[in-house]
Amino acid sequence: MKVGILSLQGSFLDHQKSLDLISLESLLVKTPEDLDKVDGIILPGGESTAMSKISSYNNLYKKLDTRIKQGLPTLSTCAGTIILAKSVIDGDTHIPNIDIEIQRNAYGRQNESFEADVKFLNNNDIYCFIRAPKIIRTLNNDVKVIATHIEDIVGVSQDNIVSLTYHPELTNDNYYLEWLLAFMKEGKYVGSF
Amino acid sequence: MKIESTFKVKKGLAEMLKGGVIMDVVNAEQAVIAEKSGAVAVMALERIPADIRADGGVARMSSVGVIQEVMDAVSIPVMAKARIGHFVEAQILESIGIDFIDESEVLTPADDINHINKNNFKSPFVCGATGLGEASRRIAEGAAMIRTKGEAGTGNVIEAVKHMRTITNEINEVLSCDTNQLVALSKKFRAPLNVLEEIKELGKLPVVNFAAGGIATPADAALMMQLGCDGVFVGSGIFKSGDPAERAEAIVVATTNYNDPKVLADVSKDLGEPMVGINIDTLTEEEKLAKRGW
């Protein structure tokens, strides 16, 4: 199988490294045609405003939206999660696919960026939050919470989509990588919380 | 457990900017144009480098008012410049919550021997480099991001190309040497040994490296990306051109699609006048900003 990584801007090469570590073939996705060649997709961190502007050049988001709605296994981190949210506080919605309300830069500016404990499924580890958004609430019961930092929701799952607000690709711990492999192969939420 | 502003988090912001364009702006209006055109961050300045060059005199940190106006106007990260070695300007920028500090040769240096000890700060720093030794010294001081110096405010890409090629060639020298030669290379490049060891292990610089200085067209941006840069700073090139919004957007699309000449041709059409450039050999040694920094 081949996993696409939305590569308009942001930490797409870090996600490629994660996929290399679990021996999954990857494709840097920049055009609508690229989306026909992949069996899964990752939306990386970066700047959601910049990515959306760049995507408008070849109308990439329209095809991406269609492919996600067809059930393509989809992982989003940080800005990628803003792109998929149904409701965005202090920002535009882009390709709403996951029923959450999210707030951009919710913890503050860069000086308030941090590393912290995250409970992701059955594992605890330390991850980076960089000018991170916050999932304020889930909008219905189809959305499962799968990751938390203290009281904050930092990861959710809905059908074929898993959305995180932090950066597992900068850490690449074994638990995350094993989960990623299983998720991309099975195409849906894997694990218990 | 929660720890703010670790080096991993500082470096992490630079990772998130990769593949993007950082634009110089002098007010809120320009900042909004930059954000709407797809900039990943803006550099807030009172004067862009071309004007600093034309005006002469001592160039200092921009007024806090101008920087805060830009910070209030956009949601993307905002950077600002401090003079080389001027750690108090950096403290001021940090106190107003700037997202990134550029310890920049575009401003008049404040210390002829020392750069800022960037490890003392919560805010991440980007620093210019003309070669691997300079890049390594800045990384040892705590820089979370490197950029080529180029020759700012000239609209002439030749110096940025030279600096990027030099860094790449010198990294290749580190990678191809055996570990017995590393100490000698450290002396040759005046590069801290531990940074060279890290480069040898990673196969590349341990932090993100952007192109800067003289980039004025979509083709210039794509050239720097094909040479291996992680992203692009555009200073005077956008707001000194005929149609800033069009040019900004074209450079953004070109930076993403740097390997696709058809896209580059398409975005380069009907862009209006680029900024007027300066030939480097008409500058005296004293006029070259890239000479600043030690």
Side-chain angles (χ1 to χ4, degrees):
Chain A
M1 76 177 298
K2 193 182 276 181
V3 178
I5 310 162
L6 186 67
S7 300
L8 302 173
Q9 183 275 314
S11 67
F12 52 88
L13 294 176
D14 303 289
H15 282 287
Q16 189 173 45
K17 193 175 165 208
S18 308
L19 294 169
D20 288 347
L21 289 169
I22 51 176
S23 304
L24 279 183
E25 202 183 338
S26 59
L27 179 72
L28 301 180
V29 170
K30 293 185 183 181
T31 67
E33 297 72 44
D34 291 336
L35 285 166
D36 292 325
K37 301 171 194 156
V38 300
D39 313 297
I41 186 84
I42 297 175
L43 280 62
E47 286 300 322
S48 57
T49 52
M51 286 193 237
S52 292
K53 182 67 196 177
I54 300 164
S55 77
S56 67
Y57 173 72
N58 56 18
N59 217 357
L60 180 62
Y61 276 7
K62 186 163 179 265
K63 179 75 171 281
L64 180 59
D65 189 37
T66 306
R67 293 287 282 131
I68 293 172
K69 288 193 165 68
Q70 284 169 349
L72 195 68
T74 303
L75 169 68
S76 69
T77 60
C78 196
T81 297
I82 295 169
I83 290 167
L84 294 180
K86 283 261 168 79
S87 169
V88 181
I89 299 172
D90 300 331
D92 299 326
T93 55
H94 303 281
I95 36 175
N97 272 277
I98 190 149
D99 292 312
I100 54 172
E101 181 171 64
I102 199 162
Q103 184 173 10
R104 294 183 65 203
N105 304 334
Y107 299 90
R109 304 191 71 98
Q110 173 61 15
N111 289 348
E112 285 77 52
S113 290
F114 58 94
E115 287 185 65
D117 282 318
V118 170
K119 181 171 187 288
F120 169 60
L121 300 172
N122 290 319
N123 189 53
N124 277 290
D125 227 314
I126 295 166
Y127 292 106
C128 291
F129 291 77
I130 297 167
R131 286 172 51 95
K134 191 188 280 188
I135 298 169
I136 302 298
R137 62 195 178 102
T138 59
L139 299 175
N140 62 45
N141 291 334
D142 296 341
V143 184
K144 292 189 195 79
V145 174
I146 62 165
T148 52
H149 156 61
I150 314 175
E151 298 287 294
D152 294 346
I153 304 170
V154 299
V156 292
S157 152
Q158 183 176 11
D159 302 322
N160 54 313
I161 305 169
V162 164
S163 292
L164 311 173
T165 63
Y166 57 95
H167 293 284
E169 81 281 7
L170 298 181
T171 305
N172 282 331
D173 56 288
N174 287 334
Y175 187 90
Y176 165 70
L177 291 176
E178 280 171 30
W179 169 84
L180 181 63
L181 181 63
F183 174 72
M184 286 299 169
K185 290 206 156 155
E186 295 187 30
K188 57 180 171 41
Y189 163 71
V190 179
S192 59
F193 189 70
Chain B
M1 189 226 71
K2 175 173 172 178
I3 313 171
E4 286 183 353
S5 302
T6 58
F7 187 68
K8 194 165 178 180
V9 161
K10 293 184 193 175
K11 191 177 127 173
L13 179 57
E15 306 278 354
M16 297 308 138
L17 301 175
K18 278 186 302 198
V21 180
I22 300 167
M23 302 180 192
D24 279 4
V25 299
V26 298
N27 55 39
E29 189 194 352
Q30 288 187 357
V32 170
I33 292 171
E35 183 175 46
K36 286 193 172 148
S37 305
V40 287
V42 289
M43 178 77 69
L45 291 159
E46 261 175 63
R47 292 176 294 169
I48 56 177
D51 291 332
I52 292 175
R53 189 179 280 288
D55 294 351
V58 174
R60 309 179 180 91
M61 178 183 78
S62 295
S63 98
V64 169
V66 168
I67 298 168
Q68 280 181 322
E69 177 192 324
V70 169
M71 287 168 66
D72 291 341
V74 294
S75 66
I76 53 179
V78 179
M79 303 183 165
K81 292 185 194 295
R83 282 180 264 176
I84 289 173
H86 206 314
F87 50 85
V88 174
E89 285 186 349
Q91 288 165 4
I92 292 169
L93 292 173
E94 179 177 68
S95 78
I96 63 168
I98 202 78
D99 295 297
F100 235 106
I101 299 170
D102 183 6
E103 186 181 17
S104 178
E105 71 283 0
V106 170
L107 305 182
T108 310
D111 188 321
D112 65 348
I113 297 169
N114 304 293
H115 282 249
I116 298 170
N117 181 352
K118 293 161 273 286
N119 290 309
N120 289 342
F121 288 80
K122 286 181 82 172
S123 306
F125 279 74
V126 54
C127 291
T130 57
L132 187 62
E134 207 171 359
S136 301
R137 293 194 294 278
R138 299 297 85 81
I139 292 165
E141 293 155 1
M145 180 178 185
I146 294 294
R147 55 171 175 75
T148 62
K149 283 186 174 171
E151 195 52 44
T154 62
N156 190 338
V157 79
I158 183 170
E159 295 296 301
V161 168
K162 187 197 289 176
H163 300 159
M164 188 58 200
R165 283 202 184 280
T166 303
I167 291 171
T168 304
N169 290 344
E170 291 175 347
I171 288 174
N172 286 338
E173 212 172 323
V174 170
L175 299 183
S176 61
C177 80
D178 75 51
T179 49
N180 297 305
Q181 297 170 295
L182 216 49
V183 173
L185 273 187
S186 163
K187 268 169 73 183
K188 177 179 164 188
F189 295 143
R190 293 202 299 130
L193 183 60
N194 62 326
V195 178
L196 292 191
E197 284 168 345
E198 202 177 350
I199 290 167
K200 193 155 178 63
E201 193 184 317
L202 293 170
K204 62 184 185 68
L205 284 182
V207 300
V208 164
N209 182 20
F210 268 47
I215 292 145
T217 66
D220 288 347
L223 173 67
M224 296 311 298
M225 294 299 288
Q226 287 199 28
L227 287 172
C229 289
D230 293 310
V232 177
F233 282 87
V234 185
S236 317
I238 289 171
F239 289 101
K240 278 284 169 193
S241 73
D243 186 344
E246 280 276 312
R247 182 164 295 266
E249 203 178 319
I251 292 176
V252 166
V253 172
T255 301
T256 296
N257 297 286
Y258 65 89
N259 259 334
D260 189 336
K262 286 204 174 98
V263 174
L264 300 178
D266 182 43
V267 300
S268 299
K269 269 188 298 196
D270 309 322
L271 270 189
E273 285 299 307
M275 72 178 282
V276 177
I278 300 174
N279 283 320
I280 303 297
D281 50 18
T282 65
L283 297 175
T284 65
E285 288 305 298
E286 289 73 42
E287 286 172 324
K288 288 185 185 167
L289 304 178
K291 301 275 179 205
R292 298 168 167 178
W294 358 100

